[in-house]
Amino acid sequence: MPIRRILFGTACAAALAAAMPLAGRAQVPAPSAASAPTGEAELQAAITKSNAYTALMNRTLRAIQSWERYASWVDMKKGPTGKERYISYGLYSLYDVTGEIRKAEEAAARDPKLPEIDATVLGYIKAYQELAPLITRAERYYDRKDYRDDDLAEGRSLHAQMVPAAKAFLDQRAKLDAEMRVYKTALDAQELAAIAQREGKSVRWVVRNVMINARAVIDLMPSNEKPVVDLKAFDAAVANYAKAIREMDDFKDANPGKSLFVDSQASSWLGKLRDFSAKLAKSKGDVRRGAANDANWIVSSYNTMITMSETAIRFPR
């Protein structure tokens, strides 16, 4: 599922469908039985739809990063004044997401029908399309230092438009994050069961099991919005990840010479998670008290693991 944005000056996002970004923790109902895939064809259709939505979320994460850069130097209540020390920071330019939007819109119209999520995705696209042109105009404005010619007139006008547009976009993002996390968790369990039925606990099963549990840890990592970690939930997720690593070890012991590509990185990641957890325990879960660098390393390493896991599944040896 995606990509995370962490932490305090370093925004980091996995660009593949195995990651899931986290921008909010709204409570949403579990997927209904009607939305659960009932066969292989239905499961693959559900995975395709989920991947289309995730690709859109990952690619549009750039808008959040750009907005955070803007918020790092401007007073959000007052707007730009021209006296800001870091006004030259401006905003990040956005990525072209035309293809991702088209695929997500097409996915929303296809089976399996997910009324709540499909509607949220379309609302998210609308909110993005309202914010993105404003960010692009602002990025050019500050990059070219046009504010020196108009005494920040356009900058103030853009600020007044961007603030409500950004709020609407971030609200839709948080809602979509929460809904997709619940749905993807159920989908992951069904995918693992289908692989086990079809192949047994194969390379594909072992790697997917590791990455599903890794993502569960990532979903609980701190963010700028929520810098204090739920230690009990985090430690439980790490314990589940450790179990997946032990299952990977069992597979390697039973299949000497089989390459998993991701195994060394995944094992090292577990050690780093345990170090990180120990630091968090000392700070009562607050990542700002000495563990931010560890958090950024964990996310960066996770992104690397995603690429390795895709290779392992695509080219099993």
Side-chain angles (χ1 to χ4, degrees), residues 81-126:
T81 64
K83 298 179 181 179
E84 292 83 6
R85 182 176 181 181
Y86 299 109
I87 191 171
S88 61
Y89 279 13
L91 297 87
Y92 292 128
S93 59
L94 301 183
Y95 300 141
D96 179 9
V97 296
T98 305
E100 286 79 7
I101 287 176
R102 174 178 53 78
K103 290 177 182 177
E105 289 175 334
E106 291 172 351
R110 290 197 306 265
D111 290 334
K113 297 299 184 184
L114 307 172
E116 294 86 358
I117 297 176
D118 294 341
T120 301
V121 165
L122 296 178
Y124 177 72
I125 290 171
K126 182 176 183 293

Side-chain angles (χ1 to χ4, degrees), residues 5-12 65 68-69 72 92 224 292 296:
R5 53 196 162 93
I6 297 178
L7 260 165
F8 316 118
T10 302
C12 189
Q65 296 169 343
E68 288 177 344
R69 183 174 179 86
S72 73
Y92 292 128
N224 290 325
N296 285 317

Side-chain angles (χ1 to χ4, degrees), residues 300-312:
S300 177
S301 184
Y302 171 74
N303 293 339
T304 301
M305 285 165 56
I306 290 174
T307 302
M308 291 179 169
S309 69
E310 290 290 315
T311 301

Side-chain angles (χ1 to χ4, degrees), residues 137-149:
R137 283 174 54 193
E139 183 273 324
R140 292 170 180 167
Y141 178 78
Y142 289 104
D143 183 57
R144 298 168 183 172
K145 297 181 173 55
D146 288 342
Y147 52 86
R148 292 180 177 176
D149 293 335

Side-chain angles (χ1 to χ4, degrees), residues 26-106:
Q27 296 299 309
V28 297
S32 66
S35 69
T38 57
E40 182 65 24
E42 292 84 355
L43 177 60
Q44 291 307 315
I47 291 172
T48 298
K49 171 173 276 200
S50 176
N51 287 348
Y53 290 171
T54 300
L56 172 68
M57 295 171 75
N58 287 338
R59 191 73 170 168
T60 52
L61 189 65
R62 180 69 167 182
I64 299 174
Q65 296 169 343
S66 184
W67 183 248
E68 288 177 344
R69 183 174 179 86
Y70 179 66
S72 73
W73 62 265
V74 73
D75 185 317
M76 298 304 290
K77 292 183 178 179
K78 296 179 181 178
T81 64
K83 298 179 181 179
E84 292 83 6
R85 182 176 181 181
Y86 299 109
I87 191 171
S88 61
Y89 279 13
L91 297 87
Y92 292 128
S93 59
L94 301 183
Y95 300 141
D96 179 9
V97 296
T98 305
E100 286 79 7
I101 287 176
R102 174 178 53 78
K103 290 177 182 177
E105 289 175 334
E106 291 172 351

Side-chain angles (χ1 to χ4, degrees), residues 253-307:
D253 291 343
N255 297 273
K258 276 279 188 181
S259 174
L260 298 178
F261 289 98
V262 75
D263 50 341
S264 178
Q265 185 87 1
S267 293
S268 297
W269 203 65
L270 176 58
K272 193 69 173 181
L273 286 177
R274 285 170 167 156
D275 289 342
F276 180 60
S277 180
K279 288 185 179 181
L280 289 177
K282 292 180 180 179
S283 66
K284 297 183 179 180
D286 193 334
V287 74
R288 295 167 297 187
R289 294 166 59 185
N293 288 337
D294 299 72
N296 285 317
W297 184 94
I298 286 168
V299 175
S300 177
S301 184
Y302 171 74
N303 293 339
T304 301
M305 285 165 56
I306 290 174
T307 302

Side-chain angles (χ1 to χ4, degrees), residues 186-201:
L187 197 60
D188 285 339
Q190 292 158 4
E191 182 186 5
L192 275 180
I195 294 172
Q197 184 176 18
R198 185 173 63 247
E199 306 172 8
K201 292 190 175 181

